[in-house]
Amino acid sequence: MEEDDIVIEENDALKKFLPNGFGKQEKETNIARQLEGSKRARPGKIPLEETGRVGPGKSEDLENDEADRDGDDDHEDEDDDEDEDGEEEDEFPVSHELVLKTHERPITSMTLDPSGSRLVTGSTDCTVKFHDFASMTPTTLRAFKSVDPTASKSSASSETHPVNHVEFNPVSPSAILVVSAIPQAKLLSRDGELIAESVKGDMYLRDMHNTKGHISEITTGTWHPTNRDICVTAGTDSTLRLWDCGIRMIQKDVIVHKSRAAGSAGRTRMTAVAWGASPQGNSSSLVAAALDGSLVMWNGDGPYTRPSAEIRDAHQRDTWTGGLDISPDGRTVVTRGGDDTIKLWDTRKFKSPISTVSQPSTTSQYSTSSIKFSPTASSIITGSQEGSLHILNPATLKPELTTPVTANSPIISLLWHPKLNQILTGSANAETHVLYNPSLSSRGAMDIMSRAPKRRHIDDDPSLTTDQSSLTLADPSNIVTPSGHLVSHHTRQGGTNKPPPATGLTASGRSRDPRRPHVPLTTPFAKTQPDERHVRDNIPLSSMRDEDPREALLKYAEKAEREPMFTNAWRKTQPKTIYAEVSDEEEGAEGPESKRLRKG
């Protein structure tokens, strides 16, 4: 048998196992495949991974057989559907998606710096998360820093509050305005460090013009469109306050909104504020919405003594108008009220709405539900209670595109970045979705999907690591196996390997919380501290610590009456006090009426 007649069967599994070469191997990233994996499934259609046409792990023969079974009519229908969907995808950046799960509760606000490299999100879990697109990969989608803006100390009992609004300075992105549910707003740096903090006003002053800051919760805020040193905050104390952030947050001006609603005593809550750019070189516009249903506009450059226009019944009274935005040209204003309506207003004729549509509102549960203009003012984006993204026509407010983002989870915060051309949504299920289109968008999520996935280190796998806080000297019977699992004495005796609870006391009476300091044991043979006898014998009056002060004073009451210490010299010469006896008739005649008669 000759050597040419020998046939060796190819083993694909063995080829995949053996290396292609020796030495350092370069990572090859299939960018097209990663982008295809982030493509969103079209509504009413099966995702590409579930079909046999295109999918990983399918052989070429199987694909050819399925292609042969398909008829020409099916190909024509698919081509027509793809052309229609392709037109929508080419018009709006919603064809692909990137999901960030870094919060634990609903996301109330989000902001991107002008360059589109850093994302900051705020949530009702009382934290602000910082994300850097330049350091994330498809397998490491996490925040590089988490900050609690209201935490004053690192103890577990510190008071924290939800985050209502976060916003980068559009002119100088080195500062971030953070508004929490407290009377004080804060300025943070790009890295989460505290720069400045506003002053809390005196809550006992009636005139809000005389207070140096908000006296109650701040609901939202925004920056001046062109001045890097000025920002405005809206509070529940019926005021808008302008702050000079040049050196530190100093109150520059106070705008007091006097409500004309019956029974409001002239006060209401400011629910939303927007500061629009100047149209055609004119002054900017400052627009705010209130809980009494009014919509007020001031000249952005002042004076702020009187509003330039006011609409009393813009929305229904006692409904929270959380969505408010001004178009980039400063000519139109869109509002989303708690009365389930979206209205479009013209700043030149600020009296009645141009268009009105009905849409269920989410502000009854999430007060920061927003509505935004696109960077070119060609569209308006908003979210729904069902978790769908609605792209509306700015003239008629009719939906041009409705695409589901988070099923059965309301969309709260929205953002359309002008440079990246990507839409970001924050939902009630604590997910941040970045929608983009590879043919329309740039940088941002596309940079993440174009990087090679980071290999997961063994220390990143929680199933192979152990929390060191559970390995305390209080329980020396714990054993760590070579696989990294913690095995207790109860497990070795045949019990279940359930993690012990983090609260309560153990069977011996010790706290399960590792942060709690160790309390010395008390036994029948050692009921006192070692140094207590030394303190009792050598420190005068140390026994008074264990006495009741009231009983200690009352035991000298009889002795003080019999033998007074300070008045003993006048004891014999002191006269006896005699009080005049008053009859019942005289006591009744000495009332207030008799006194009035005597004066008359």
Side-chain angles (χ1 to χ4, degrees):
M1 189 175 183
E2 297 180 358
E3 297 180 357
D4 297 339
D5 298 337
I6 299 175
V7 179
I8 300 176
E9 296 182 358
E10 294 184 358
N11 193 340
D12 296 336
L14 183 60
K15 282 186 176 181
K16 293 180 180 179
F17 178 75
L18 294 176
N20 297 328
F22 298 96
K24 185 177 180 180
Q25 303 292 329
E26 296 182 358
K27 295 181 181 180
E28 295 183 0
T29 306
N30 192 345
I31 300 176
R33 185 175 181 178
Q34 291 187 169
L35 292 176
E36 187 69 19
S38 66
K39 192 171 184 179
R40 304 176 65 231
R42 300 192 185 105
K45 292 188 177 184
I46 304 175
L48 295 177
E49 290 78 1
E50 300 179 6
T51 60
R53 292 180 292 125
V54 180
K58 294 287 184 178
S59 61
E60 297 180 358
D61 297 337
L62 181 59
E63 292 180 3
N64 294 332
D65 294 341
E66 293 175 354
D68 294 338
R69 287 195 299 267
D70 293 338
D72 296 337
D73 297 338
D74 296 338
H75 285 292
E76 292 177 0
D77 296 339
E78 292 177 1
D79 293 340
D80 295 340
D81 295 338
E82 290 178 359
D83 293 340
E84 293 177 0
D85 297 335
E87 293 178 359
E88 294 181 354
E89 293 175 359
D90 292 341
E91 186 177 358
F92 303 108
V94 295
S95 60
H96 294 67
E97 180 181 45
L98 180 67
V99 183
L100 303 176
K101 300 179 181 180
T102 55
H103 284 282
E104 298 178 357
R105 291 187 180 181
I107 300 174
T108 56
S109 180
M110 60 177 56
T111 179
L112 264 172
D113 63 342
S115 63
S117 61
R118 184 151 297 183
L119 170 65
V120 180
T121 57
S123 171
T124 56
D125 59 4
C126 309
T127 59
V128 177
K129 303 283 187 178
F130 291 78
H131 311 77
D132 193 1
F133 284 153
S135 61
M136 288 191 290
T137 63
T139 56
T140 57
L141 299 175
R142 52 175 175 259
F144 71 89
K145 190 169 186 179
S146 178
V147 178
D148 188 349
T150 58
S152 57
K153 52 185 178 180
S154 59
S155 63
S157 60
S158 61
E159 190 174 313
T160 56
H161 301 272
V163 179
N164 290 336
H165 186 76
V166 292
E167 184 176 348
F168 265 103
N169 192 331
V171 183
S172 176
S174 59
I176 306 172
L177 175 64
V178 179
V179 175
S180 302
I182 56 176
Q184 295 171 280
K186 295 187 178 183
L187 289 182
L188 301 182
S189 64
R190 289 175 57 89
D191 299 327
E193 302 296 333
L194 180 63
I195 300 177
E197 183 179 5
S198 64
V199 182
K200 183 179 179 181
D202 190 351
M203 65 180 69
Y204 298 103
L205 294 178
R206 179 63 181 173
D207 190 359
M208 292 292 101
H209 291 93
N210 298 329
T211 56
K212 297 181 179 180
H214 289 281
I215 64 172
S216 58
E217 175 187 347
I218 303 177
T219 56
T220 185
T222 187
W223 290 94
H224 193 282
T226 56
N227 194 334
R228 55 179 292 181
D229 296 332
I230 298 178
C231 66
V232 62
T233 56
T236 56
D237 55 358
S238 191
T239 63
L240 299 177
R241 299 181 186 267
L242 278 69
W243 305 90
D244 188 356
C245 308
I247 301 177
R248 58 188 182 92
M249 296 189 71
I250 302 175
Q251 184 172 281
K252 183 179 179 182
D253 210 333
V254 182
I255 305 175
V256 180
H257 173 61
K258 295 183 179 179
S259 176
R260 301 184 182 180
S264 63
R267 288 192 179 185
T268 185
R269 298 181 180 182
M270 310 304 294
T271 59
V273 63
W275 209 327
S278 56
Q280 298 180 355
N282 299 329
S283 59
S284 58
S285 301
L286 182 62
V287 183
L291 188 63
D292 60 356
S294 60
L295 188 65
V296 192
M297 181 173 63
W298 290 273
N299 189 341
D301 299 333
Y304 308 104
T305 54
R306 299 182 64 181
S308 58
E310 181 179 1
I311 305 173
R312 296 185 183 179
D313 300 326
H315 288 277
Q316 187 177 350
R317 183 184 173 185
D318 295 333
T319 59
W320 195 277
T321 305
L324 173 64
D325 195 20
I326 304 177
S327 61
D329 57 4
R331 294 183 177 180
T332 54
V333 176
V334 63
T335 57
R336 183 181 181 184
D339 54 356
D340 299 338
T341 59
I342 297 177
K343 297 183 180 182
L344 190 68
W345 312 85
D346 191 350
T347 56
R348 295 165 293 185
K349 297 180 180 179
F350 207 64
K351 294 182 179 180
S352 59
I354 303 174
S355 301
T356 303
V357 295
S358 177
Q359 184 176 5
S361 176
T362 58
T363 54
S364 59
Q365 187 176 2
Y366 307 104
S367 60
T368 58
S369 299
S370 61
I371 185 170
K372 296 291 183 181
F373 275 98
S374 65
T376 58
S378 59
S379 302
I380 298 175
I381 57 174
T382 185
S384 65
Q385 185 75 25
E386 296 78 15
S388 299
L389 174 66
H390 296 265
I391 301 180
L392 311 178
N393 188 302
T396 60
L397 296 181
K398 293 183 179 180
E400 296 181 349
L401 177 65
T402 301
T403 176
V405 178
T406 53
N408 300 324
S409 181
I411 295 178
I412 305 174
S413 55
L414 293 162
L415 179 65
W416 193 331
H417 196 270
K419 188 174 182 179
L420 302 182
N421 195 19
Q422 299 176 10
I423 301 176
L424 289 82
T425 63
S427 305
N429 60 354
E431 291 183 357
T432 303
H433 290 247
V434 184
L435 307 180
Y436 66 97
N437 191 326
S439 60
L440 299 177
S441 306
S442 62
R443 307 299 297 271
M446 292 187 60
D447 287 349
I448 299 176
M449 301 308 298
S450 62
R451 298 190 185 100
K454 183 180 179 181
R455 290 185 178 180
R456 192 170 189 178
H457 195 268
I458 188 172
D459 293 340
D460 297 335
D461 191 353
S463 63
L464 302 177
T465 56
T466 305
D467 187 6
Q468 294 183 359
S469 62
S470 61
L471 302 177
T472 58
L473 297 177
D475 191 2
S477 61
N478 292 335
I479 295 178
V480 181
T481 62
S483 61
H485 296 284
L486 179 65
V487 182
S488 62
H489 176 73
H490 176 65
T491 305
R492 299 195 304 274
Q493 295 297 331
T496 58
N497 189 15
K498 293 183 179 180
T503 59
L505 301 176
T506 60
S508 60
R510 297 188 179 186
S511 175
R512 300 183 188 273
D513 191 355
R515 298 172 296 178
R516 184 170 181 175
H518 175 67
V519 180
L521 296 177
T522 302
T523 63
F525 306 98
K527 294 184 178 180
T528 60
Q529 298 292 337
D531 59 344
E532 188 170 349
R533 179 179 298 178
H534 173 78
V535 173
R536 184 173 59 251
D537 297 342
N538 296 280
I539 300 178
L541 304 178
S542 61
S543 61
M544 296 179 63
R545 298 182 305 166
D546 302 329
E547 294 181 358
D548 186 5
R550 186 173 181 273
E551 295 180 357
L553 291 175
L554 289 178
K555 71 180 182 180
Y556 297 104
E558 297 180 359
K559 184 178 180 180
E561 187 177 357
R562 287 185 282 101
E563 299 178 1
M565 182 181 299
F566 301 102
T567 61
N568 193 19
W570 299 277
R571 183 179 180 184
K572 297 180 179 180
T573 59
Q574 191 72 13
K576 185 178 180 180
T577 305
I578 301 175
Y579 297 99
E581 297 181 358
V582 182
S583 61
D584 297 340
E585 297 179 357
E586 294 178 354
E587 185 178 359
E590 293 293 333
E593 297 180 357
S594 61
K595 291 182 180 180
R596 293 176 183 175
L597 293 175
R598 290 177 182 177
K599 291 181 181 180

